[in-house]
Amino acid sequence: MSDRSAPQVFSIAAHRGFADALVAGLVPRYADRELGLARLTLLLPSGRAVRTMTEAFVRHFGARELGGLLMPRMAVVGDLDLDETLGPLLDPLGAGDAIPPAVDVTRRWLRLARIIREERPEIKGSAALRLAFDMGRTMDRLLVDDIGPDELVQDRVLDVVGELAEHWRTSLELFSTLQARWLAELAANGEVDPPDRRNRLFRRARNAWRTDSPATPIVAAGVTSASPALAQLLRTVAELPHGAVVLPDLDLSMNDAVWDELGEATTPFERGEAVTHPQYHLKLLLNRMGIARGEVQPWHRAGLGKGPPERSHAISNLFLPPEASRAWVDLAPDKRRLTGVRLMQTANPEEEAQAIALLVREALVQAERRVAVITPDRGLASRVAQHLRRWHIEADDSAGRPLAQTAAGRLLLLLTEVGAEAAAPVPLVALLEHPLVRAGEARAAWLEHARGFELALRGPRLEPGLKPLRTLAAEQHLSEWWSEVETVLEPLLGDGEVLLAEALDCLAVAGEALCGESLWAREDGRALAAFVEDVRLNARDVGTVIERGDLPTALREAMDRIAVRPPYGGHPRVAIYGLLEARMARAELVICAGLNEGTWPGSAAPDPLLAPPVLRALGVPGADFRIGLAGHDFAGALGAPEVVLSRARRDAAGPAIPSRFWLRVTALLGERLLGDHQETRIPALARSLDDGPKADPHPRPQPRPSAAQRKVRVSVTALDRLRSDPFQFYAQAILRLRELDPLDAEPSPAWRGSVAHKVLERWHTEHAPLAELAEQELRQMNAHPLMRALWRPRLLKALEWVEAHIAAEPERVPIVFEQAGDMLVNGVTVRGKVDRIDRLPDGHLAIVDYKTGAPPSGREVDAGYALQLGTLGLMAQAGAFAGAAGEPAQFEYWSLGSSHTSESGFGYVTTPILEGRKRTGIPLEDFLPQAAYFLKDALDKWILGDEPFTARLNPDAPGYATYDQLMRLDEWISDLK
């Protein structure tokens, strides 16, 4: 090619497909008859772009059956958003002596955190590390645009600072102080920040190529970063004798008035500029390159699988700025029609994922048809991948998953949580039953022990630390197994600060002890190993100190910034991309998913350290700039031959707002064209997959066990359930089903009641101080200190009331405490435990039942739904309790709950007997006969008879919800109302 002085800058329209169109134009321009394209050097934005271009070259030569292929040299410019470094062409080994090396970003992060603690001692732990990361990101953001500390004190910046709120001025002052200290350290060490080194390398390459033009052609393709140093390098490439710059999706059809409406796109940025427009960042790049839009030429080569040409006009009209968009009113249909684009709305994200999976499955029926799902919503991407497995389609999500959400990453975080929370039940059980722990032949035995230990651990939290757990394991005959676990966990527990490097040493050792080499074996394990080694090495060098309690948060935030991408091996024609990964990628069908505001585009979060006016004065694009980049990604995706735009009407939080891009598409199409672009068949098909034949309503359960199964002992507490809800009695007494307490449960009424009963029993027999007995019982139950602190005062107040109330009636003598007994009624054993029996002065008995909550009402007793007190009276009358012979004459509930009449605020006595001025109750002479009637009636019907155990026989009776799910209550209870 002949020498030329005019810069060679080209653009590939969105409808052509960038990668394929680029290859189609490169081959005739630069191919050599003998060497093919081997003499050509391509400057690409990222490693993902290299893979995309490689695939495009293979498709091009394969479709034409051209035989062998010599690929061009592809060098990576490096994408900061993807955390990628420069390729060896721009950063050759051993050739950068004049340019200082870049500091390790992890070391910078940890060192900045330490400087923050020195400058602001009140900021510690994970907060300091989080601020240090934000600090490094902001410094990088400024350095990309060649902005250093000197620019922060320019007049235009200082003028803005005086108008800022106090917190922004404080933040700017802290930033300036920390940056000055950091840069002084870098200079002393002979290092620079990575963006600074990147800019210096760009300038060195620019100077070298301007002085001595390369003999072989260089083409920069797909680079859209508008950093000044890179823009100057691209200008130099465009001016090389055999060079060119090819931009993606620069709108050459936009008229000059609309182009001017975007703004000047120069530094400093002015208010009102259309920074959210998809073309704004390209205008900024051209300005920094010193190229007018009129100098940019179209790349007249069609790509494989291009979209319809008229769609480029529609895409251009779609993103018109506010003033220019008035032209939509007069647009002809052919200028607004989006041929090949469908809009799909679903009810919720789950239905959206199901519909997208169906679209992919349908497309794969056609041979060689490629499908790309593009979405910034990682949750939606994961759902789509799961639904595709229904048809054995493994779709790799190239955006990956955060390291913290992988199996290996989660195990490390569980170890930190166990240490920080002193072996709390939830993280402890999650760790012991983690799928990587003892993976292999030994896992079955390990899980048997772990699950047995979990069952014993359920309920209220034990006292912190390993000692109570050791006692619990001994009670379950798991001492040998627990000894191994304790040896692993003991180094992780402790209080106060710890060196981060030493903490990571302990975590790595503990993880290997539990999992062996399987912890590091897969791609997530390898990423975890690299992360631990990197942080450990730099933390030891910096001397980073952290509170143990902050360790889980600090590591989780750091691991969330690391994406673990799947290895190769997924379906060759299906790809799931994030927005960054989708750039330059092409497919015959592109599905843009998650088009709701806050997702695509994402919410514009301001910089946490520098106020937007300061950034604008410095010439740094604000947070809204990202919206324009997301719009450019959207416009590029619209260039595919077939496009489906998808959104869900609702998300987990409620109704979702459609994306501004979605609203623009619907507004451009208008009511006349919108119906032609609606996709309704696939959502209906997706719903039909889960719409099976309607099931008949579940009948009200009425089990009828055999006579032999009915012959069970009946407890006095179960009689209430037997009469009010026979099914619950059936499930508990006959099926012997017990509800499992959750881990780390709140103290239940039964738990509180058992403590109170045990304390009162010991007080009656041992005559020791109540406070001392209560403390002993709570400690013996290994109750958590917080639980003791919250509940112990209430318990003591109630117990003191019991003590005072008994002392106030010295003529009434307690004779039985917490004694179990039984009696035989029509051949059925009725058993029960009485809380207390008192001998009255006239020789009669008083039956006392302690309640930690509200006692049954007289109406419940009269209806036969609270038979415990009466049945205990019958048992005492029959001599079931040793030492308590006599006739019961008083029946009392002693409640330990709050009371307005008690001086202590806790404790009161109530009775179901009708006496004095009471309006409700049962006469004393009728109380025991009525209890006997209800007792025998229940036994005759359900224990000795064949009455069905009907669920919720008496729906208005008080009861428990323990077995509601088992009886499928919600499916039939409405029929009773």
Side-chain angles (χ1 to χ4, degrees):
M1 301 181 72
S2 61
D3 292 351
R4 58 176 180 259
S5 57
Q8 296 294 297
V9 182
F10 301 90
S11 173
I12 296 178
H15 75 275
R16 294 192 180 275
F18 185 84
D20 292 316
L22 178 64
V23 171
L26 289 174
V27 172
R29 281 178 168 90
Y30 297 102
D32 183 273
R33 188 172 294 179
E34 297 179 357
L35 297 176
L37 293 170
R39 292 167 53 84
L40 172 65
T41 298
L42 280 179
L43 296 183
L44 299 173
S46 65
R48 290 158 184 75
V50 171
R51 289 197 294 271
T52 301
M53 289 302 303
T54 301
E55 293 167 358
F57 277 112
V58 171
R59 281 195 300 273
H60 178 87
F61 282 84
R64 289 157 178 77
E65 299 180 356
L66 298 179
L69 167 64
L70 287 176
M71 300 282 285
R73 180 184 185 187
M74 288 183 268
V76 175
V77 172
D79 193 326
L80 283 175
D81 289 330
L82 293 171
D83 194 27
E84 291 187 340
T85 57
L86 298 179
L89 174 67
L90 298 174
D91 191 5
L93 293 176
D97 296 339
I99 299 179
V103 68
D104 185 284
V105 291
T106 303
R107 184 184 181 279
R108 180 183 69 175
W109 169 51
L110 298 174
R111 181 58 190 149
L112 284 174
R114 181 150 188 173
I115 296 175
I116 289 171
R117 292 192 62 173
E118 293 171 0
E119 294 288 337
R120 298 278 295 274
E122 69 275 14
I123 304 177
K124 298 180 179 179
S126 59
L129 290 168
R130 189 181 308 116
L131 181 58
F133 177 77
D134 290 337
M135 177 75 62
R137 185 169 54 182
T138 300
M139 287 194 299
D140 285 348
R141 190 177 180 186
L142 297 180
L143 288 171
V144 164
D145 287 329
D146 280 334
I147 297 173
D150 294 340
E151 282 76 5
L152 289 173
V153 295
Q154 290 180 352
D155 291 340
R156 67 170 181 264
V157 178
L158 294 178
D159 292 342
V160 170
V161 171
E163 303 172 359
L164 296 178
E166 180 62 28
H167 73 281
W168 280 121
R169 289 200 296 270
T170 302
S171 178
L172 178 59
E173 180 182 351
L174 176 62
F175 177 81
S176 300
T177 302
L178 296 177
Q179 187 182 37
R181 285 193 58 178
W182 171 246
L183 292 179
E185 285 193 17
L186 280 183
N189 296 333
E191 296 176 321
V192 292
D193 281 309
D196 188 4
R197 175 175 168 81
R198 180 188 302 256
N199 290 341
R200 296 187 190 198
L201 289 168
F202 286 156
R203 284 192 286 268
R204 186 179 68 178
R206 173 175 174 264
N207 293 333
W209 291 346
R210 287 174 68 90
T211 304
D212 185 13
S213 299
T216 57
I218 297 179
V219 174
V223 180
T224 58
S225 173
S227 70
L230 181 55
Q232 293 166 10
L233 177 64
L234 293 179
R235 171 66 188 237
T236 300
V237 171
E239 293 176 340
L240 293 176
H242 305 286
V245 173
V246 185
L247 300 176
D249 310 334
L250 176 66
D251 189 355
L252 298 180
S253 64
M254 181 186 295
N255 63 51
D256 292 338
V258 176
W259 182 258
D260 293 339
E261 191 179 337
L262 299 183
E264 294 296 327
T266 56
T267 303
F269 296 103
E270 300 295 333
R271 289 183 180 274
E273 296 201 348
V275 295
T276 61
H277 194 278
Q279 295 291 308
Y280 185 86
H281 69 292
L282 293 175
K283 183 172 185 178
L284 178 61
L285 173 60
L286 289 177
N287 285 348
R288 289 179 172 176
M289 289 175 64
I291 301 291
R293 187 172 63 117
E295 297 179 82
V296 180
Q297 308 168 56
W299 185 262
H300 289 300
R301 294 289 175 180
L304 297 176
K306 64 178 182 178
E310 63 271 14
R311 196 185 301 165
S312 283
H313 300 291
I315 295 173
S316 178
N317 290 320
L318 178 66
F319 291 104
L320 288 175
E323 290 296 324
S325 61
R326 295 177 181 178
W328 285 359
V329 177
D330 301 320
L331 271 182
D334 62 322
K335 295 293 186 181
R336 64 169 74 228
R337 189 184 302 275
L338 290 166
T339 305
V341 177
R342 291 175 284 164
L343 288 82
M344 182 175 74
Q345 289 197 80
T346 48
N348 51 61
E350 180 61 27
E351 185 177 301
E352 182 180 12
Q354 181 79 276
I356 292 170
L358 281 170
L359 284 169
V360 175
R361 179 66 184 87
E362 183 180 60
L364 291 179
V365 173
Q366 301 181 35
E368 299 184 5
R369 186 172 174 81
R370 293 170 295 149
V371 185
V373 179
I374 304 174
T375 177
D377 187 340
R378 295 297 90 210
L380 179 60
S382 177
R383 288 190 184 99
V384 172
Q386 290 293 339
H387 280 297
L388 287 173
R389 291 192 177 100
R390 169 181 290 173
W391 300 290
H392 306 289
I393 299 172
E394 288 292 334
D396 293 336
D397 183 359
S398 66
R401 288 185 299 159
L403 178 57
Q405 296 179 18
T406 63
R410 184 63 190 141
L411 184 125
L412 186 82
L413 290 176
L414 284 172
L415 286 168
T416 65
E417 291 170 16
V418 168
E421 299 179 32
V426 173
L428 177 62
V429 171
L431 173 66
L432 296 178
E433 298 181 8
H434 190 280
L436 290 180
V437 174
R438 291 296 186 274
E441 296 179 358
R443 181 161 176 79
W446 177 273
L447 277 182
E448 183 179 354
H449 293 136
R451 288 167 179 166
F453 185 73
E454 176 194 343
L455 289 175
L457 193 59
R458 287 178 175 270
R461 185 187 297 197
L462 302 181
E463 192 172 358
L466 299 175
K467 184 178 178 181
L469 299 174
R470 189 185 311 137
T471 304
L472 184 68
E475 294 172 357
Q476 303 300 313
H477 307 290
L478 296 171
S479 295
E480 184 177 350
W481 171 81
W482 177 255
S483 176
E484 181 183 357
V485 175
E486 187 172 352
T487 302
V488 174
L489 300 182
E490 191 169 16
L492 304 178
L493 275 65
D495 297 322
E497 292 184 333
V498 62
L499 286 171
L500 179 57
E502 293 182 0
L504 288 171
D505 287 338
C506 292
L507 291 171
V509 170
E512 283 197 20
L514 289 174
C515 307
E517 294 183 358
S518 62
L519 177 60
W520 322 107
R522 297 174 59 85
E523 63 274 5
D524 56 338
R526 292 188 288 272
L528 179 64
F531 166 78
V532 170
E533 191 60 31
D534 182 32
V535 176
R536 179 166 54 184
L537 177 66
N538 288 284
R540 185 167 283 116
D541 182 40
V542 174
T544 304
V545 176
I546 190 170
E547 291 277 349
R548 287 188 184 270
D550 288 329
L551 196 58
T553 302
L555 290 183
R556 183 183 297 109
E557 290 177 352
M559 292 163 67
D560 277 337
R561 298 192 287 265
I562 298 174
V564 179
R565 294 177 174 85
Y568 290 104
H571 197 286
R573 293 193 284 133
V574 180
I576 301 177
Y577 296 119
L579 296 189
L580 295 177
E581 290 75 21
R583 291 173 183 170
M584 295 181 62
R586 277 298 178 269
E588 282 71 31
L589 170 63
V590 171
I591 303 168
C592 300
L595 280 168
N596 284 327
E597 201 68 13
T599 301
W600 191 350
S603 302
D607 190 285
L609 295 171
L610 299 182
V614 172
L615 292 174
R616 191 163 49 247
L618 288 170
V620 178
D624 289 347
F625 189 71
R626 292 279 178 183
I627 296 176
L629 296 179
H632 189 256
D633 294 330
F634 180 70
L638 284 175
E642 185 180 354
V643 180
V644 175
L645 309 181
S646 172
R647 69 171 293 264
R649 295 186 183 90
R650 297 181 64 88
D651 57 19
I657 301 174
S659 165
R660 65 190 69 191
F661 306 142
W662 175 282
L663 293 176
R664 277 185 166 271
V665 170
T666 56
L668 177 68
L669 291 173
E671 292 184 4
R672 291 178 57 189
L673 298 178
L674 187 58
D676 298 336
H677 290 75
Q678 295 281 9
E679 172 57 73
T680 57
R681 178 180 61 89
I682 292 296
L685 188 58
R687 286 191 292 272
S688 69
L689 287 177
D690 296 324
D691 290 343
K694 188 175 180 180
D696 294 331
H698 191 271
R700 187 180 188 179
Q702 295 181 340
R704 289 178 180 269
S706 65
Q709 291 172 319
R710 292 171 184 262
K711 285 294 183 68
V712 294
R713 295 192 301 172
V714 179
S715 69
V716 295
T717 55
L719 280 171
D720 304 340
R721 292 190 177 191
L722 182 57
R723 285 188 51 79
S724 62
D725 192 347
F727 184 88
Q728 291 206 36
F729 178 91
Y730 167 76
Q732 183 185 46
I734 296 178
L735 297 183
R736 300 187 181 279
L737 298 177
R738 296 290 185 271
E739 183 180 30
L740 288 178
D741 288 330
L743 286 166
D744 208 356
E746 292 293 327
S748 64
W751 187 90
R752 294 194 296 265
S754 64
V755 175
H757 282 74
K758 188 65 176 176
V759 172
L760 287 170
E761 179 184 2
R762 292 186 59 189
W763 176 68
H764 283 301
T765 56
E766 300 177 16
H767 307 291
L770 277 172
E772 179 182 329
L773 294 173
E775 187 65 29
Q776 290 177 6
E777 284 300 317
L778 288 171
R779 284 198 175 277
Q780 187 173 350
M781 297 183 75
N782 291 320
H784 193 274
L786 179 61
M787 193 183 305
R788 291 203 302 265
L790 293 176
W791 197 61
R792 182 177 177 275
R794 298 171 56 90
L795 175 63
L796 286 178
K797 288 290 185 182
L799 295 177
E800 289 168 3
W801 169 82
V802 173
E803 182 179 25
H805 202 68
I806 291 176
E809 297 182 81
E811 70 279 1
R812 177 171 168 171
V813 182
I815 56 175
V816 171
F817 319 104
E818 298 293 335
Q819 186 180 129
D822 57 63
M823 67 176 179
L824 207 61
V825 180
N826 294 343
V828 179
T829 300
V830 178
R831 56 188 175 86
K833 188 175 185 179
V834 67
D835 294 341
R836 198 180 89 220
I837 299 178
D838 295 347
R839 179 75 68 186
L840 301 176
D842 61 1
H844 287 86
L845 303 178
I847 310 298
V848 177
D849 186 25
Y850 293 123
K851 296 292 184 184
T852 53
S857 65
R859 186 171 299 174
E860 293 171 11
V861 176
D862 191 32
Y865 301 145
L867 300 177
Q868 182 178 1
L869 203 58
T871 308
L872 289 172
L874 293 173
M875 293 176 66
Q877 190 180 51
F881 304 110
E887 189 69 23
Q890 287 189 25
F891 302 90
E892 298 171 346
Y893 295 111
W894 286 37
S895 175
L896 307 183
S898 58
S899 169
H900 298 293
T901 60
S902 172
E903 293 183 3
S904 64
F906 293 91
Y908 61 93
V909 178
T910 184
T911 178
I913 303 300
L914 183 63
E915 58 183 12
R917 297 182 180 181
K918 287 182 61 177
R919 295 184 180 181
T920 59
I922 304 171
L924 177 61
E925 62 274 14
D926 296 336
F927 184 69
L928 287 182
Q930 179 173 298
Y933 167 77
F934 284 136
L935 171 62
K936 292 179 180 178
D937 178 67
L939 296 180
D940 289 342
K941 284 182 178 178
W942 288 288
I943 306 302
L944 301 174
D946 62 351
E947 189 82 5
F949 288 84
T950 306
R952 291 293 169 93
L953 181 62
N954 299 288
D956 296 329
Y960 300 92
T962 305
Y963 302 100
D964 285 359
Q965 185 178 9
L966 182 64
M967 66 175 68
R968 298 171 71 168
L969 178 70
D970 292 338
E971 299 187 34
W972 52 265
I973 190 63
S974 59
D975 296 337
L976 303 182
K977 298 178 180 179

